[in-house]
Amino acid sequence: MPRFAANLTFLFTERPFLDRFAAARAAGFDAVEALFPYDHPAQDVRDRLDAASLRLVLINTPAPDWADGGRGCAAIPGQEGRFRREFAQAVDYAEVLGAGLLHIMSGLASGPEARECYLRNLEWAAAQVPDQRLTIEPINPIDMPGYFLNDFVQAEAILYELGAPNLYLQFDAYHAHRIIGNVGTAWQRYGQRAAHIQIAGYPGRHEPTGGEIDYPAFFARLDAEGYGGDVSAEYFPAGDTAEGLDWFSKAKG
């Protein structure tokens, strides 16, 4: 059985953010992730993790302009200074929270200048924190138009070109299905570079059950291949979060 985590930006939103940690533990999770914990002091989040005996798997670099359409800035030429400031904030939070992975968001950009900017920022970031594992994630252009990193071929080429030992692929099965059309094919081609997996059903991005993605088969494949990372539930619950966790109970056996 894979090690499952709950994304607290998506799940248990019936409660305030800091109350979601206890809810995740009560539902049977022993690990969580959060996209942007920056609205709360890092120590307050750490206290909730400790109280619930939870590991924090991953956080994103900040996107303080998210509500206005911002999606990070690592690939946006001219915003290198902002990137470095926000990366430093993310590293501070990751250290306090014990975050195993830090996802660097590329932002909305395109073209060769954006690619060069992204490469240099990733190279700089990886060198700053050699003991912190970093990830990049292809996000499909239908759900997030204009996002720079929108293809697995592109991500693989960047990882190969940089060759940073602490930089990995973040494999979101939902996005992989939308980009490539088959999760199994995507995993076979790119999974060896993945340090983290996220899941959601398709269509709808709800619970990972039914629909076009055969998650029981995918989980069995991960077990057979000895995948050692976490599999995070990053979906929009169709109803109450806890009532939609039958898939989790079945996956745990």
Side-chain angles (χ1 to χ4, degrees):
M1 176 190 74
R3 299 185 311 188
F4 290 103
N7 185 307
L8 298 186
T9 303
F10 283 67
L11 304 188
F12 304 105
T13 57
E14 302 87 355
R15 300 165 176 79
F17 177 72
L18 291 178
D19 292 341
R20 297 173 197 173
F21 296 86
R25 167 53 74 183
F29 290 98
D30 59 15
V32 296
E33 67 179 26
L35 301 188
F36 309 112
Y38 307 104
D39 287 342
H40 302 275
Q43 189 58 52
D44 288 357
V45 180
R46 174 81 260 174
D47 290 345
R48 298 303 178 105
L49 286 164
D50 291 343
S53 299
L54 291 167
R55 290 184 298 114
L56 184 71
V57 175
L58 174 146
I59 60 174
N60 288 356
T61 49
D65 55 352
W66 185 272
D68 297 322
R71 297 295 181 263
C73 65
I76 302 178
Q79 295 199 16
E80 291 86 353
R82 173 191 164 190
F83 172 75
R84 294 189 177 199
R85 291 191 300 272
E86 292 179 354
F87 183 76
Q89 181 186 17
V91 169
D92 287 345
Y93 267 72
E95 289 178 351
V96 173
L97 303 180
L101 297 165
L102 178 54
H103 169 215
I104 297 177
M105 299 199 69
S106 72
L108 307 180
S110 63
E113 290 185 3
R115 187 180 192 277
E116 182 63 21
C117 177
Y118 192 42
L119 284 168
R120 298 290 74 81
N121 278 333
L122 290 174
E123 183 179 47
W124 175 85
Q128 296 303 301
V129 287
D131 296 328
Q132 172 68 59
R133 295 198 300 167
L134 309 174
T135 65
I136 59 173
E137 176 191 13
I139 297 178
N140 82 80
I142 301 169
D143 284 31
M144 195 173 289
Y147 193 72
F148 176 77
L149 190 63
N150 60 18
D151 185 80
F152 282 85
V153 173
Q154 175 192 26
E156 182 181 50
I158 288 169
L159 291 170
Y160 178 79
E161 185 170 342
L162 291 176
N166 59 332
L167 184 62
Y168 299 86
L169 177 70
Q170 184 168 317
F171 184 94
D172 187 302
Y174 168 83
H175 290 305
H177 184 78
R178 300 217 74 174
I179 293 168
I180 293 176
N182 184 284
V183 169
T185 299
W187 181 256
Q188 181 175 354
R189 179 67 180 84
Y190 304 106
Q192 74 277 3
R193 292 189 174 274
H196 187 56
I197 295 172
Q198 293 168 325
I199 57 172
Y202 183 82
R205 205 175 184 183
H206 298 308
E207 283 77 359
T209 181
E212 297 182 13
I213 303 175
D214 186 347
Y215 277 112
F218 184 50
F219 298 156
R221 180 173 185 171
L222 296 178
D223 284 343
E225 294 179 0
Y227 170 72
D230 291 280
V231 176
S232 184
E234 188 189 63
Y235 62 83
F236 298 106
D240 179 82
T241 301
E243 292 177 0
L245 289 175
D246 284 351
W247 69 269
F248 180 44
S249 300
K250 292 176 181 177
K252 291 195 301 180

